[in-house]
Amino acid sequence: MREIVIVGGGYAGFYTAWGLEKTLRSGEARVTVVDPRPYMTYQPFLPEVTAGSVEARHAAVSLRRHLRRSRLIAGTVTEVRNADRTVTVRPVNGADYELHYDILVVTAGAVTRTFPIPGLAQQAIGLKHVEEAVAIRDRLLTAFDQAATLPPGPERRKLLTVTFVGGGFSGVEGFGELLSLATAMLKSYPELSFDDLSFHLVEARGRILPEVGDKPGAWVVRSLERRGARVHLDTQLVSAEDGHVVLSDGEEFESGLIVWTAGNASNPVVHNHTDLPVDERGLLVVRPDLRVGTDSEPVPDVWAAGDDATIPDLASPVPGARTVPNAQHAVRQGRLLAKNLVADLRGKRVRNYRHSSLGVVATLGLGRGIFQYKGIVIKGVPAWLMHRGYHVLAVPTWERKVRVLTVWLTAALFGRDLVSLASVQHPRDAFVTSGEAQGFGASRAGEETAA
């Protein structure tokens, strides 16, 4: 059998493997998926995970449950050497080893783009993975519990100050959802008032949501500001040491929660550790049929899709346009890649990728949203319902659709769950503290000394 290795189990990788399992004949090829996480993250749900509107596990699709005929390796590909037809795998446990392939699919996905800003690495949280979304939610809930025990003043103010850096879709949706959650939580905390909250959205450009038009983007800014938020345009984060935020416009304040959503960067293995052709941004050069290479210099048996691939946008009227890195394209590219790969194996004709945008839709908090398709703009509750309707249809597998719908219906009847589980990040603390209180630590120390 031919060995097909898929680097990355995100949108494009998952849908490629899923499509291959449905299409390949028995014994035709073996599919191996290499990814450090055992699930695909449905990233459009992460803002709602931060707000408790979607359960964290429901935003993750198990690879083993749905890729039953593929070999799954829990590890990270650290190097691709196409000249030798091998990739270097760093497993979760154990030493690095080489994995041979006959056909390679690179869908490694992008990583969060960061900058050497003082304090950023120590203070900020990203919003690209389920774990990060859960941590953001738990930190806000814990901050409310702590602030309710404090008198008005700087310490309480810092706990209830939230700063998002980055005004793209991920940042604006996460910001809007968390603002919605914080405002709703005030009903359960009579010790706190709306004036105690301080939400800041920092964007280096002169506008947010570049995927929508200027007027809809300006409307979103006004909407957030009417809800009590501060939107800092043409502003950069200068420092975040010890939670002390310094902005390029001269404003300074203390912030208990800092979320970094300022764009993506190409995966390091694609950017720095491969002999495959990449462009000036470190993205793989990919043809319209999703093969790596150019029309004049294709790379045999190597395919790519998703955020790490620069693919010609045949549906765009702009010459030389490339598909934007979003879920809409990654899902469809993965599906086509599976079909093209099988067609190529069987000596049949492959098809070029072409997809016209279905529009963009964003949630801005419970009951708030915005949708734009060309010149059509819908705001408020209708757009929010469109957002939920589209994504419950788009999330893979009926099992996940039903689970998400059940949580939404439960929240509509009983409200969002406001319980913080921040302690799960340190599960042994209660056990260790209990042992120390009973003198367990001291007795063990005595036994070791006697021995």
Side-chain angles (χ1 to χ4, degrees):
M1 287 194 298
R2 304 200 74 185
E3 293 284 346
I4 301 173
V5 172
I6 301 176
V7 180
Y11 288 115
F14 173 80
Y15 276 95
T16 299
W18 210 18
L20 288 173
E21 287 195 358
K22 296 174 183 177
T23 312
L24 287 171
R25 304 187 188 106
S26 178
E28 192 170 13
R30 181 169 71 165
V31 178
T32 299
V33 179
V34 184
D35 196 285
R37 289 178 170 81
Y39 55 82
M40 182 209 83
T41 302
Y42 190 72
Q43 292 182 353
F45 277 159
L46 293 187
E48 294 201 60
V49 171
T50 67
S53 298
V54 171
E55 286 295 323
R57 285 185 175 85
H58 300 168
V61 179
S62 170
L63 297 181
R64 290 196 176 274
R65 178 166 184 170
H66 301 289
L67 300 180
R68 298 181 181 274
R69 294 172 53 199
S70 301
R71 178 173 59 154
L72 302 177
I73 296 177
T76 303
V77 171
T78 59
E79 186 178 6
V80 175
R81 293 188 303 280
N82 190 56
D84 301 327
R85 296 291 177 106
T86 61
V87 297
T88 301
V89 177
R90 179 164 296 161
V92 175
N93 295 302
D96 293 6
Y97 63 91
E98 291 187 349
L99 185 66
H100 172 79
Y101 63 82
D102 297 302
I103 299 171
L104 179 67
V105 177
V106 183
T107 53
V111 298
T112 301
R113 180 183 61 182
T114 59
F115 299 97
I117 298 172
L120 180 66
Q122 294 75 29
Q123 299 295 324
I125 304 177
L127 186 53
K128 197 170 183 62
H129 302 289
V130 172
E131 303 92 330
E132 294 171 323
V134 172
I136 291 168
R137 177 176 182 268
D138 285 343
R139 283 201 185 186
L140 181 69
L141 296 176
T142 302
F144 265 72
D145 287 333
Q146 295 173 349
T149 66
L150 297 173
E155 194 172 351
R156 176 195 275 191
R157 184 74 171 177
K158 179 178 181 178
L159 283 169
L160 299 180
T161 297
V162 176
T163 305
F164 271 66
V165 183
F169 256 79
S170 177
V172 171
E173 288 190 316
F175 184 78
E177 286 286 348
L178 210 63
L179 176 60
S180 176
L181 173 63
T183 305
M185 286 172 61
L186 290 173
K187 299 175 184 178
S188 302
Y189 290 84
E191 306 91 339
L192 305 175
S193 70
F194 183 79
D195 293 336
D196 291 318
L197 298 180
S198 183
F199 273 68
H200 298 262
L201 176 62
V202 181
E203 170 54 44
R205 292 167 294 189
R207 51 164 299 177
I208 62 174
L209 294 178
E211 295 87 349
V212 305
D214 290 341
K215 289 184 177 179
W219 177 85
V220 173
V221 171
R222 293 194 300 271
S223 174
L224 292 172
E225 290 178 339
R226 282 195 299 267
R227 293 162 60 188
R230 290 279 309 280
V231 180
H232 305 263
L233 299 178
D234 293 316
T235 306
Q236 298 178 357
L237 177 67
V238 175
S239 175
E241 290 186 291
D242 298 322
H244 181 74
V245 172
V246 180
L247 303 179
S248 60
D249 62 3
E251 187 166 350
E252 300 183 24
F253 52 86
E254 302 291 328
S255 183
L257 177 59
I258 301 173
V259 183
W260 180 267
T261 59
N264 296 325
S266 62
N267 195 294
V269 69
V270 173
H271 193 285
N272 302 317
H273 303 291
T274 179
D275 56 357
L276 296 172
V278 297
D279 66 6
E280 65 280 358
R281 296 175 298 168
L283 302 175
L284 287 171
V285 177
V286 181
R287 305 186 338 169
D289 60 5
L290 305 182
R291 300 176 196 260
V292 172
T294 62
D295 290 338
S296 58
E297 296 183 14
V299 180
D301 298 321
V302 182
W303 308 74
D307 292 354
D308 269 328
T310 174
I311 300 169
D313 189 352
L314 302 182
S316 173
V318 180
R322 302 285 170 169
T323 57
V324 296
N326 61 21
Q328 243 187 81
H329 284 298
V331 169
R332 288 164 177 81
Q333 288 167 5
R335 289 171 176 163
L336 178 63
L337 199 158
K339 294 176 182 177
N340 278 357
L341 200 158
V342 173
D344 188 61
L345 277 174
R346 298 172 183 171
K348 297 181 180 179
R349 187 173 66 89
V350 299
R351 295 189 294 116
N352 287 339
Y353 175 74
R354 184 187 186 95
H355 171 65
S356 298
S357 174
L358 301 175
V360 291
V361 62
T363 174
L364 304 173
L366 200 62
R368 300 177 174 90
I370 186 166
F371 167 82
Q372 181 178 9
Y373 175 69
K374 297 182 178 179
I376 302 172
V377 178
I378 300 174
K379 307 170 185 175
V381 175
W384 175 75
L385 291 173
M386 292 172 69
H387 176 273
R388 287 204 159 184
Y390 172 78
H391 284 299
V392 80
L393 290 174
V395 67
T397 79
W398 279 103
E399 169 252 343
R400 276 295 178 264
K401 298 179 197 295
V402 172
R403 289 182 186 274
V404 170
L405 276 173
T406 301
V407 172
W408 282 344
L409 291 173
T410 304
L413 292 173
F414 303 107
R416 289 179 284 202
D417 196 332
L418 302 182
V419 177
S420 169
L421 295 178
S423 58
V424 301
Q425 298 171 37
H426 307 282
R428 294 189 66 254
D429 284 359
F431 175 75
V432 172
T433 301
S434 176
E436 291 174 347
Q438 298 174 57
F440 175 78
S443 63
R444 286 295 299 166
E447 290 174 13
E448 290 171 3
T449 301

